PDB file of all heavy atoms in Angstrom:
ATOM      1  N   ALA A   1     -17.477  10.265  36.742  1.00 40.00           N
ATOM      2  CA  ALA A   1     -17.285  11.168  35.616  1.00 40.00           C
ATOM      3  C   ALA A   1     -16.533  10.486  34.495  1.00 40.00           C
ATOM      4  O   ALA A   1     -16.655  10.857  33.343  1.00 40.00           O
ATOM      5  CB  ALA A   1     -16.547  12.424  36.080  1.00 40.00           C
ATOM      6  N   GLY A   2     -15.774   9.476  34.821  1.00 40.00           N
ATOM      7  CA  GLY A   2     -15.009   8.736  33.826  1.00 40.00           C
ATOM      8  C   GLY A   2     -13.712   9.421  33.497  1.00 40.00           C
ATOM      9  O   GLY A   2     -13.540  10.616  33.682  1.00 40.00           O
ATOM     10  N   PRO A   3     -12.770   8.623  33.005  1.00 45.00           N
ATOM     11  CA  PRO A   3     -11.475   9.196  32.667  1.00 45.00           C
ATOM     12  C   PRO A   3     -11.582  10.027  31.386  1.00 45.00           C
ATOM     13  O   PRO A   3     -12.464   9.818  30.573  1.00 45.00           O
ATOM     14  CB  PRO A   3     -10.607   7.942  32.439  1.00 45.00           C
ATOM     15  CG  PRO A   3     -11.569   6.911  32.026  1.00 45.00           C
ATOM     16  CD  PRO A   3     -12.849   7.214  32.769  1.00 45.00           C
ATOM     17  N   ALA A   4     -10.663  10.947  31.238  1.00 51.00           N
ATOM     18  CA  ALA A   4     -10.625  11.709  30.002  1.00 51.00           C
ATOM     19  C   ALA A   4     -10.300  10.725  28.881  1.00 51.00           C
ATOM     20  O   ALA A   4      -9.411   9.894  29.013  1.00 51.00           O
ATOM     21  CB  ALA A   4      -9.555  12.790  30.104  1.00 51.00           C
ATOM     22  N   VAL A   5     -11.024  10.830  27.811  1.00 61.00           N
ATOM     23  CA  VAL A   5     -10.817   9.911  26.710  1.00 61.00           C
ATOM     24  C   VAL A   5      -9.707  10.443  25.828  1.00 61.00           C
ATOM     25  O   VAL A   5      -9.770  11.558  25.343  1.00 61.00           O
ATOM     26  CB  VAL A   5     -12.120   9.741  25.877  1.00 61.00           C
ATOM     27  CG1 VAL A   5     -11.922   8.818  24.718  1.00 61.00           C
ATOM     28  CG2 VAL A   5     -13.246   9.266  26.770  1.00 61.00           C
ATOM     29  N   ALA A   6      -8.708   9.626  25.651  1.00 82.00           N
ATOM     30  CA  ALA A   6      -7.602  10.005  24.779  1.00 82.00           C
ATOM     31  C   ALA A   6      -7.594   9.065  23.577  1.00 82.00           C
ATOM     32  O   ALA A   6      -7.756   7.843  23.748  1.00 82.00           O
ATOM     33  CB  ALA A   6      -6.277   9.919  25.541  1.00 82.00           C
ATOM     34  N   GLY A   7      -7.483   9.635  22.428  1.00 93.00           N
ATOM     35  CA  GLY A   7      -7.448   8.810  21.233  1.00 93.00           C
ATOM     36  C   GLY A   7      -6.064   8.230  20.984  1.00 93.00           C
ATOM     37  O   GLY A   7      -5.084   8.630  21.579  1.00 93.00           O
ATOM     38  N   ASP A   8      -6.011   7.299  20.074  1.00 97.00           N
ATOM     39  CA  ASP A   8      -4.777   6.649  19.677  1.00 97.00           C
ATOM     40  C   ASP A   8      -4.448   7.178  18.272  1.00 97.00           C
ATOM     41  O   ASP A   8      -5.105   6.818  17.292  1.00 97.00           O
ATOM     42  CB  ASP A   8      -5.011   5.142  19.653  1.00 97.00           C
ATOM     43  CG  ASP A   8      -3.804   4.337  19.198  1.00 97.00           C
ATOM     44  OD1 ASP A   8      -2.879   4.909  18.584  1.00 97.00           O
ATOM     45  OD2 ASP A   8      -3.796   3.118  19.425  1.00 97.00           O
ATOM     46  N   ALA A   9      -3.429   8.028  18.197  1.00 96.00           N
ATOM     47  CA  ALA A   9      -3.075   8.668  16.927  1.00 96.00           C
ATOM     48  C   ALA A   9      -2.685   7.644  15.852  1.00 96.00           C
ATOM     49  O   ALA A   9      -3.039   7.818  14.696  1.00 96.00           O
ATOM     50  CB  ALA A   9      -1.947   9.678  17.126  1.00 96.00           C
ATOM     51  N   ALA A  10      -1.999   6.579  16.235  1.00 97.00           N
ATOM     52  CA  ALA A  10      -1.587   5.558  15.271  1.00 97.00           C
ATOM     53  C   ALA A  10      -2.823   4.861  14.683  1.00 97.00           C
ATOM     54  O   ALA A  10      -2.890   4.623  13.469  1.00 97.00           O
ATOM     55  CB  ALA A  10      -0.647   4.545  15.904  1.00 97.00           C
ATOM     56  N   ALA A  11      -3.786   4.545  15.528  1.00 97.00           N
ATOM     57  CA  ALA A  11      -5.018   3.932  15.038  1.00 97.00           C
ATOM     58  C   ALA A  11      -5.787   4.920  14.171  1.00 97.00           C
ATOM     59  O   ALA A  11      -6.391   4.554  13.152  1.00 97.00           O
ATOM     60  CB  ALA A  11      -5.881   3.445  16.204  1.00 97.00           C
ATOM     61  N   GLY A  12      -5.784   6.190  14.552  1.00 97.00           N
ATOM     62  CA  GLY A  12      -6.430   7.230  13.766  1.00 97.00           C
ATOM     63  C   GLY A  12      -5.787   7.380  12.407  1.00 97.00           C
ATOM     64  O   GLY A  12      -6.484   7.561  11.382  1.00 97.00           O
ATOM     65  N   ARG A  13      -4.474   7.310  12.360  1.00 97.00           N
ATOM     66  CA  ARG A  13      -3.756   7.408  11.082  1.00 97.00           C
ATOM     67  C   ARG A  13      -4.141   6.247  10.168  1.00 97.00           C
ATOM     68  O   ARG A  13      -4.371   6.437   8.972  1.00 97.00           O
ATOM     69  CB  ARG A  13      -2.247   7.422  11.324  1.00 97.00           C
ATOM     70  CG  ARG A  13      -1.463   7.562  10.053  1.00 97.00           C
ATOM     71  CD  ARG A  13       0.026   7.590  10.280  1.00 97.00           C
ATOM     72  NE  ARG A  13       0.702   7.956   9.049  1.00 97.00           N
ATOM     73  CZ  ARG A  13       2.001   8.109   8.950  1.00 97.00           C
ATOM     74  NH1 ARG A  13       2.764   7.964  10.008  1.00 97.00           N
ATOM     75  NH2 ARG A  13       2.526   8.425   7.792  1.00 97.00           N
ATOM     76  N   ALA A  14      -4.182   5.037  10.725  1.00 97.00           N
ATOM     77  CA  ALA A  14      -4.552   3.863   9.926  1.00 97.00           C
ATOM     78  C   ALA A  14      -5.974   4.007   9.376  1.00 97.00           C
ATOM     79  O   ALA A  14      -6.236   3.712   8.192  1.00 97.00           O
ATOM     80  CB  ALA A  14      -4.432   2.592  10.779  1.00 97.00           C
ATOM     81  N   LYS A  15      -6.904   4.466  10.202  1.00 97.00           N
ATOM     82  CA  LYS A  15      -8.289   4.668   9.749  1.00 97.00           C
ATOM     83  C   LYS A  15      -8.329   5.761   8.689  1.00 97.00           C
ATOM     84  O   LYS A  15      -9.034   5.638   7.698  1.00 97.00           O
ATOM     85  CB  LYS A  15      -9.164   5.027  10.947  1.00 97.00           C
ATOM     86  CG  LYS A  15     -10.615   5.287  10.620  1.00 97.00           C
ATOM     87  CD  LYS A  15     -11.309   4.057  10.083  1.00 97.00           C
ATOM     88  CE  LYS A  15     -12.020   3.330  11.162  1.00 97.00           C
ATOM     89  NZ  LYS A  15     -12.859   2.229  10.640  1.00 97.00           N
ATOM     90  N   ALA A  16      -7.578   6.838   8.886  1.00 97.00           N
ATOM     91  CA  ALA A  16      -7.549   7.927   7.924  1.00 97.00           C
ATOM     92  C   ALA A  16      -6.999   7.456   6.587  1.00 97.00           C
ATOM     93  O   ALA A  16      -7.513   7.823   5.519  1.00 97.00           O
ATOM     94  CB  ALA A  16      -6.725   9.094   8.475  1.00 97.00           C
ATOM     95  N   GLN A  17      -5.962   6.653   6.621  1.00 97.00           N
ATOM     96  CA  GLN A  17      -5.385   6.115   5.371  1.00 97.00           C
ATOM     97  C   GLN A  17      -6.365   5.237   4.644  1.00 97.00           C
ATOM     98  O   GLN A  17      -6.421   5.244   3.429  1.00 97.00           O
ATOM     99  CB  GLN A  17      -4.093   5.374   5.657  1.00 97.00           C
ATOM    100  CG  GLN A  17      -2.951   6.278   6.018  1.00 97.00           C
ATOM    101  CD  GLN A  17      -1.689   5.523   6.436  1.00 97.00           C
ATOM    102  OE1 GLN A  17      -1.771   4.396   6.912  1.00 97.00           O
ATOM    103  NE2 GLN A  17      -0.553   6.156   6.273  1.00 97.00           N
ATOM    104  N   ALA A  18      -7.174   4.509   5.388  1.00 96.00           N
ATOM    105  CA  ALA A  18      -8.136   3.594   4.775  1.00 96.00           C
ATOM    106  C   ALA A  18      -9.371   4.302   4.276  1.00 96.00           C
ATOM    107  O   ALA A  18      -9.977   3.878   3.267  1.00 96.00           O
ATOM    108  CB  ALA A  18      -8.548   2.518   5.792  1.00 96.00           C
ATOM    109  N   GLN A  19      -9.785   5.385   4.922  1.00 96.00           N
ATOM    110  CA  GLN A  19     -11.090   5.976   4.587  1.00 96.00           C
ATOM    111  C   GLN A  19     -11.074   7.442   4.223  1.00 96.00           C
ATOM    112  O   GLN A  19     -11.937   7.885   3.493  1.00 96.00           O
ATOM    113  CB  GLN A  19     -12.069   5.786   5.753  1.00 96.00           C
ATOM    114  CG  GLN A  19     -12.523   4.377   5.914  1.00 96.00           C
ATOM    115  CD  GLN A  19     -13.611   4.291   6.948  1.00 96.00           C
ATOM    116  OE1 GLN A  19     -13.364   4.295   8.135  1.00 96.00           O
ATOM    117  NE2 GLN A  19     -14.845   4.210   6.462  1.00 96.00           N
ATOM    118  N   CYS A  20     -10.164   8.212   4.774  1.00 97.00           N
ATOM    119  CA  CYS A  20     -10.291   9.690   4.693  1.00 97.00           C
ATOM    120  C   CYS A  20      -9.398  10.317   3.650  1.00 97.00           C
ATOM    121  O   CYS A  20      -9.737  11.388   3.127  1.00 97.00           O
ATOM    122  CB  CYS A  20      -9.973  10.308   6.044  1.00 97.00           C
ATOM    123  SG  CYS A  20     -10.913   9.608   7.416  1.00 97.00           S
ATOM    124  N   GLN A  21      -8.252   9.709   3.381  1.00 96.00           N
ATOM    125  CA  GLN A  21      -7.256  10.382   2.555  1.00 96.00           C
ATOM    126  C   GLN A  21      -7.691  10.596   1.109  1.00 96.00           C
ATOM    127  O   GLN A  21      -7.168  11.470   0.431  1.00 96.00           O
ATOM    128  CB  GLN A  21      -5.911   9.696   2.635  1.00 96.00           C
ATOM    129  CG  GLN A  21      -5.779   8.417   1.868  1.00 96.00           C
ATOM    130  CD  GLN A  21      -4.368   7.885   1.934  1.00 96.00           C
ATOM    131  OE1 GLN A  21      -3.508   8.441   2.574  1.00 96.00           O
ATOM    132  NE2 GLN A  21      -4.145   6.751   1.285  1.00 96.00           N
ATOM    133  N   ILE A  22      -8.653   9.857   0.629  1.00 96.00           N
ATOM    134  CA  ILE A  22      -9.120  10.035  -0.750  1.00 96.00           C
ATOM    135  C   ILE A  22      -9.595  11.464  -0.959  1.00 96.00           C
ATOM    136  O   ILE A  22      -9.308  12.081  -1.987  1.00 96.00           O
ATOM    137  CB  ILE A  22     -10.225   9.024  -1.085  1.00 96.00           C
ATOM    138  CG1 ILE A  22      -9.665   7.618  -1.080  1.00 96.00           C
ATOM    139  CG2 ILE A  22     -10.865   9.352  -2.422  1.00 96.00           C
ATOM    140  CD1 ILE A  22     -10.715   6.538  -1.075  1.00 96.00           C
ATOM    141  N   CYS A  23     -10.304  12.014  -0.001  1.00 97.00           N
ATOM    142  CA  CYS A  23     -10.832  13.384  -0.102  1.00 97.00           C
ATOM    143  C   CYS A  23      -9.984  14.388   0.655  1.00 97.00           C
ATOM    144  O   CYS A  23      -9.799  15.523   0.234  1.00 97.00           O
ATOM    145  CB  CYS A  23     -12.259  13.449   0.412  1.00 97.00           C
ATOM    146  SG  CYS A  23     -13.427  12.426  -0.519  1.00 97.00           S
ATOM    147  N   HIS A  24      -9.521  13.974   1.855  1.00 97.00           N
ATOM    148  CA  HIS A  24      -8.851  14.916   2.771  1.00 97.00           C
ATOM    149  C   HIS A  24      -7.328  14.835   2.686  1.00 97.00           C
ATOM    150  O   HIS A  24      -6.668  15.544   3.464  1.00 97.00           O
ATOM    151  CB  HIS A  24      -9.323  14.665   4.198  1.00 97.00           C
ATOM    152  CG  HIS A  24     -10.797  14.893   4.372  1.00 97.00           C
ATOM    153  ND1 HIS A  24     -11.357  16.143   4.412  1.00 97.00           N
ATOM    154  CD2 HIS A  24     -11.813  14.013   4.479  1.00 97.00           C
ATOM    155  CE1 HIS A  24     -12.659  16.029   4.560  1.00 97.00           C
ATOM    156  NE2 HIS A  24     -12.972  14.747   4.591  1.00 97.00           N
ATOM    157  N   GLY A  25      -6.805  14.038   1.796  1.00 95.00           N
ATOM    158  CA  GLY A  25      -5.351  13.954   1.615  1.00 95.00           C
ATOM    159  C   GLY A  25      -4.650  13.159   2.687  1.00 95.00           C
ATOM    160  O   GLY A  25      -5.138  13.012   3.811  1.00 95.00           O
ATOM    161  N   GLU A  26      -3.491  12.640   2.335  1.00 91.00           N
ATOM    162  CA  GLU A  26      -2.704  11.844   3.269  1.00 91.00           C
ATOM    163  C   GLU A  26      -2.286  12.619   4.499  1.00 91.00           C
ATOM    164  O   GLU A  26      -2.214  12.093   5.592  1.00 91.00           O
ATOM    165  CB  GLU A  26      -1.458  11.307   2.558  1.00 91.00           C
ATOM    166  CG  GLU A  26      -0.622  10.379   3.399  1.00 91.00           C
ATOM    167  CD  GLU A  26       0.564   9.822   2.643  1.00 91.00           C
ATOM    168  OE1 GLU A  26       0.716  10.107   1.448  1.00 91.00           O
ATOM    169  OE2 GLU A  26       1.343   9.086   3.281  1.00 91.00           O
ATOM    170  N   ASN A  27      -2.020  13.915   4.329  1.00 95.00           N
ATOM    171  CA  ASN A  27      -1.568  14.759   5.425  1.00 95.00           C
ATOM    172  C   ASN A  27      -2.673  15.650   5.993  1.00 95.00           C
ATOM    173  O   ASN A  27      -2.416  16.577   6.738  1.00 95.00           O
ATOM    174  CB  ASN A  27      -0.386  15.614   4.985  1.00 95.00           C
ATOM    175  CG  ASN A  27      -0.737  16.514   3.823  1.00 95.00           C
ATOM    176  OD1 ASN A  27      -1.873  16.485   3.317  1.00 95.00           O
ATOM    177  ND2 ASN A  27       0.226  17.283   3.372  1.00 95.00           N
ATOM    178  N   GLY A  28      -3.921  15.372   5.616  1.00 97.00           N
ATOM    179  CA  GLY A  28      -5.042  16.144   6.140  1.00 97.00           C
ATOM    180  C   GLY A  28      -5.329  17.431   5.384  1.00 97.00           C
ATOM    181  O   GLY A  28      -6.177  18.213   5.800  1.00 97.00           O
ATOM    182  N   VAL A  29      -4.621  17.649   4.284  1.00 97.00           N
ATOM    183  CA  VAL A  29      -4.881  18.804   3.441  1.00 97.00           C
ATOM    184  C   VAL A  29      -5.713  18.314   2.261  1.00 97.00           C
ATOM    185  O   VAL A  29      -5.278  17.448   1.495  1.00 97.00           O
ATOM    186  CB  VAL A  29      -3.572  19.476   2.955  1.00 97.00           C
ATOM    187  CG1 VAL A  29      -3.856  20.612   2.006  1.00 97.00           C
ATOM    188  CG2 VAL A  29      -2.753  19.955   4.152  1.00 97.00           C
ATOM    189  N   ALA A  30      -6.905  18.854   2.135  1.00 97.00           N
ATOM    190  CA  ALA A  30      -7.880  18.381   1.152  1.00 97.00           C
ATOM    191  C   ALA A  30      -7.320  18.366  -0.261  1.00 97.00           C
ATOM    192  O   ALA A  30      -6.607  19.281  -0.669  1.00 97.00           O
ATOM    193  CB  ALA A  30      -9.138  19.247   1.208  1.00 97.00           C
TER     194      ALA A  30
END
């Protein structure tokens, strides 16, 4: 069945800062 997949919040934050924050904001508020 495989282990439950857990994400890495720090890696997610880095990716969000690089790609997502332009539209979705630094804190996730659009």
Side-chain angles (χ1 to χ4, degrees):
V5 179
D8 178 344
R13 182 179 189 178
K15 179 64 95 173
Q17 287 174 334
Q19 288 188 281
C20 308
Q21 75 176 1
I22 294 167
C23 298
H24 298 284
E26 183 177 357
N27 59 359
V29 176

